[in-house]
Amino acid sequence: MTLHAAPPDRTDVLVVGAGPAGSAAAAWAARAGHEVTLLDAKAFPRDKTCGDGLTPRAIAEMQRLGLLDFLEDRPEIVGLRAAGYGRTWHLPWPGGSLPAVGSVVPREELDTRLAEHAAESGARVATGWRALDVGFDGDRIGSVQIAHKDTVRTVECRRVIVADGVKSPIGARLGRVWHRDTAFGVAARAYVKSEVMHDQWITAHLELRTADNNPQSGYGWLFPIGGGEYNIGVGAMQTAKRPASVNLRRLLQRYYDQRMAGFRFTSSMVRVRSAMLPMGGAVSNVAGPNWMLIGDAAACVNPLNGEGIDYGMETGRVAVELLAETDDYRSAWPALLQQRYGTAFSGARRLAELLTHPDFLRVAGPLGMRSRRLMGVALRVMGNFITPEDNDALARLAHLLGSRSWRSDTRVPFS
Ligand SMILES: Cc1cc2nc3c(=O)[nH]c(=O)nc-3n(C[C@H](O)[C@H](O)[C@H](O)COP(=O)(O)OP(=O)(O)OC[C@H]3O[C@@H](n4cnc5c(N)ncnc54)[C@H](O)[C@@H]3O)c2cc1C
């Protein structure tokens, strides 16, 4: 299946960006019978700075796409090993309306498979083509200018799905504004080899410390790719007002040194890279008359754990559902995002903002880690493993608190 198709002169749906969000959108749009072109600036396979963790939400999306066989020989992750403040808890995924299993897949492999799947579903996939600019026909996008090396061309299109990631250059051209006064993440990851060949848990160390032993917001992770290889990383939360002031690479090195004995590393870290994470729908202008922003471009990342592969794939799917319902996405798309994620993101980013206060961490960290039950609750809330279908006491409480938070937001998510 080719990922190097020549872009057409004209297409119905143009999807910009072949990460999980764009490829899922292209696959669903092609399945729904639309004529679709999926572009990515990079040649595939391409790396993407990530922890590579597939949460149960992401597994649910893989299942919907019919891609579970791709995960067959990959690690089957049964839950989270949470460590810190002198304790370690093994917290199984809560299940409920979501699968009780996760996985870890390097992004070169995952994203290539998803782009291939879009092609198999009928999308024309043109990797190596960068969207440069959009041309307007009144207030609607009429064409997109694209380039491959020195060749510049124009593709006419009826609608555009913008899935161009954290920096979202095309989103920015369309008026996207990322609000960095709301908590966002900065994170670094690398790969390391270990003698621990088999691990069914992803590990999160919730107690990070600066060089002078002060609590540092964020967490360190070790996610097993299989065969004794791990994705290792550290992430920190910040806001424009309260920058994390942390040297991520040094923090990562310290984390590696601290975990060396427990995880029996047999290599130094390779492919160290860092990136930012927009979170919790903290962007404005996520739609226009004939375009929608999805995935990281729309800041669809969980503010409490930094996962966004799942939200990327989900937003790809629901954006396509909207294609069939209306011809004007200006208010329909933000409304749909708010309905799905608004209250959860609002509550989560409020808590994430609290976590940027070292004093809060100093008290809440040891307190939370004292109780396994509390950590189980935290996993479910922080991982947003609560869907609208869930109606148990904790789910109802989370919905209630999220709604309260939403009502007191000065700027609600996606606005
Ligand atoms: C260090 C780190 C660790 C993380 N760990 C996890 C994790 O373990 N689990 C998890 O679920 N999430 C994790 N995330 C978040 C996750 O990586 C993102 O949420 C996810 O990749 C979003 O998918 P996307 O498709 O929206 O964007 P991306 O995956 O970034 O894809 C965007 C695509 O658009 C292309 N593009 C950009 N500009 C253009 C253009 N002008 N023209 C054409 N193409 C363009 C890019 O080449 C890219 O392929 C992590 C993030 C970071 C930074």
Side-chain angles (χ1 to χ4, degrees):
M1 195 48 63
T2 183
L3 302 183
H4 305 287
D9 294 331
R10 191 164 203 316
T11 191
D12 177 2
V13 181
L14 183 69
V15 183
V16 179
S23 287
W28 285 113
R31 286 173 177 207
H34 301 290
E35 195 248 311
V36 191
T37 302
L38 171 64
L39 296 180
D40 200 285
K42 300 261 177 73
F44 275 48
R46 64 103 179 85
D47 187 19
K48 152 77 177 82
T49 307
C50 189
D52 302 330
L54 294 183
T55 62
R57 278 189 101 101
I59 301 293
E61 290 306 308
M62 294 294 281
Q63 190 169 15
R64 284 194 172 96
L65 285 169
L67 288 175
L68 284 189
D69 57 341
F70 171 70
L71 300 174
E72 255 165 30
D73 296 327
R74 316 265 171 190
E76 195 172 297
I77 302 296
V78 297
L80 175 74
R81 180 188 291 120
Y85 305 98
R87 284 191 164 83
T88 299
W89 299 114
H90 287 83
L91 309 166
W93 300 125
S97 56
L98 291 167
V101 69
S103 192
V104 185
V105 183
R107 291 291 298 273
E108 284 106 323
E109 296 170 42
L110 177 74
D111 291 20
T112 301
R113 182 67 197 105
L114 288 171
E116 281 170 0
H117 184 68
E120 287 158 10
S121 304
R124 190 189 288 237
V125 184
T127 55
W129 285 89
R130 178 179 299 280
L132 297 178
D133 202 358
V134 295
F136 285 95
D137 186 359
D139 60 357
R140 301 173 81 85
I141 297 176
S143 62
V144 174
Q145 192 187 49
I146 62 172
H148 172 68
K149 297 182 182 158
D150 293 335
T151 309
V152 177
R153 295 190 33 194
T154 298
V155 181
E156 289 176 19
C157 48
R158 205 155 79 79
R159 324 95 11 129
V160 181
I161 295 182
V162 182
D164 53 356
V166 52
K167 291 187 185 149
S168 190
I170 294 300
R173 169 74 177 91
L174 295 167
R176 173 209 199 234
V177 181
W178 174 6
H179 302 287
R180 297 190 195 192
D181 51 343
T182 302
F184 64 96
V186 285
R189 72 96 227 258
Y191 291 93
V192 66
K193 292 210 167 84
S194 152
E195 279 176 14
V196 183
M197 300 305 279
H198 184 68
D199 195 349
Q200 280 200 295
W201 301 86
I202 56 168
T203 301
H205 287 92
L206 307 176
E207 183 183 4
L208 288 184
R209 297 209 165 249
T210 59
D212 41 7
N213 206 32
N214 283 316
Q216 160 74 56
S217 79
Y219 70 100
W221 71 79
L222 275 153
F223 293 174
I225 293 168
E229 200 175 349
Y230 281 75
N231 181 311
I232 180 170
V234 289
M237 298 300 300
Q238 61 176 9
T239 62
K241 241 199 235 157
R242 236 186 328 276
S245 314
V246 60
N247 180 321
L248 279 177
R249 285 176 186 241
R250 254 188 253 147
L251 187 64
L252 182 58
Q253 185 61 50
R254 209 159 43 243
Y255 182 60
Y256 167 91
D257 293 341
Q258 286 161 355
R259 307 278 68 93
M260 169 64 99
F263 277 82
R264 309 201 300 276
F265 297 142
T266 56
S267 77
S268 48
M269 291 186 288
V270 293
R271 297 166 62 203
V272 182
R273 285 180 60 178
S274 59
M276 289 191 292
L277 296 95
M279 292 172 156
V283 294
S284 303
N285 304 326
V286 291
N290 68 338
W291 69 85
M292 290 180 257
L293 272 59
I294 63 172
D296 275 12
C300 285
V301 173
N302 183 336
L304 291 171
N305 62 10
E307 30 114 0
I309 296 172
D310 42 10
Y311 295 104
M313 293 172 76
E314 279 181 19
T315 51
R317 175 168 54 81
V318 295
V320 170
E321 286 167 10
L322 196 62
L323 292 180
E325 284 171 30
T326 171
D327 258 342
D328 189 338
Y329 317 125
R330 248 173 302 202
S331 54
W333 183 235
L336 191 51
L337 289 173
Q338 287 172 344
Q339 181 206 330
R340 289 185 70 90
Y341 308 118
T343 53
F345 278 0
S346 169
R349 61 194 209 182
R350 204 169 286 271
L351 193 51
E353 238 156 85
L354 273 178
L355 290 170
T356 64
H357 289 275
D359 290 345
F360 176 79
L361 261 188
R362 234 186 300 267
V363 177
L367 209 66
M369 279 302 283
R370 223 181 268 170
S371 151
R372 186 186 188 287
R373 200 175 137 78
L374 194 59
M375 287 309 292
V377 169
L379 171 68
R380 189 151 170 234
V381 173
M382 293 175 81
N384 195 12
F385 293 128
I386 296 174
T387 67
E389 291 79 52
D390 291 328
N391 193 29
D392 56 280
L394 179 60
R396 286 199 302 274
L397 181 66
H399 291 315
L400 181 76
L401 293 177
S403 307
R404 287 226 172 130
S405 167
W406 169 276
R407 281 198 294 275
S408 51
D409 268 344
T410 46
R411 196 194 56 250
V412 296
F414 309 107
S415 70

